[in-house]
């Protein structure tokens, strides 16, 4: 079975997001004063071949823990769904 | 009112995702052959001050169209919610 995993990676709350601050400043200068805060993370989409949703989820989490996410400064969420179209 | 906008930016389907390909190759070499495809995008969280959800959504879309998203090669989705905690 093929599964789609959507992974959102973002900096932990206390970690300074320099990229977000820079983008926020640009938006402010461009007249978007209504934007109060910007934080920028990563959105990773994985296609995973696995026998079950549980296996696909475990695989996605392992890949994140081992390779894609720096657990010291980042956190992540994983949402795995069955691929509906062939 | 304060609103949270979650913006997902990703490359359009036909556009070669070199970063995703590179990460996919690394995962493969690291023994994760079950991961068939990787695509990498951006996850942007905005806090927006606006009088209504509609205004916040319009503001988020404007910011994306004008500055955050390259409409030639990227697409985006926006999800806006009221900030539940003070």
């Amino acid at each position: 079975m093929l599964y789609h995993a959507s992974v959102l990676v973002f900096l932990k709350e206390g970690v300074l997001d320099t990229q977000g601050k820079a983008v926020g400043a640009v938006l402010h200068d461009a007249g978007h004063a209504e934007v109060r805060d910007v934080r920028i993370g990563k959105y990773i989409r994985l296609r995973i071949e696995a026998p079950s949703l549980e296996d696909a989820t475990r695989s996605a989490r392992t890949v994140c823990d081992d390779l894609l996410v720096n657990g010291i400064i980042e956190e992540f969420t994983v949402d795995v769904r069955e691929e509906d179209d062939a």
Side-chain angles (χ1 to χ4, degrees), chain A:
Chain A
M1 280 291 243
L2 269 175
Y3 294 88
H4 269 289
S6 294
V7 180
L8 296 178
V9 185
F10 39 96
L11 288 167
K12 289 182 179 172
E13 210 47 65
V15 179
L16 179 67
D17 180 354
T18 52
Q19 196 184 358
K21 289 273 180 247
V23 170
V26 169
L27 292 182
H28 220 267
D29 292 351
H32 292 286
E34 77 279 11
V35 179
R36 293 300 173 82
D37 190 43
V38 181
R39 289 183 78 80
I40 295 184
K42 277 172 283 186
Y43 169 46
I44 305 170
R45 288 199 288 193
L46 306 168
R47 282 177 81 220
I48 297 173
E49 170 90 42
S52 71
L53 184 69
E54 289 69 37
D55 285 302
T57 305
R58 197 175 311 117
S59 173
R61 296 203 151 270
T62 304
V63 161
C64 287
D65 281 328
D66 290 356
L67 291 154
L68 298 180
V69 177
N70 177 353
I72 297 169
I73 57 167
E74 293 173 327
E75 2 182 56
F76 68 96
T77 63
V78 175
D79 178 45
V80 182
R81 284 154 205 242
E82 208 173 299
E83 188 168 78
D84 34 32
D85 48 343

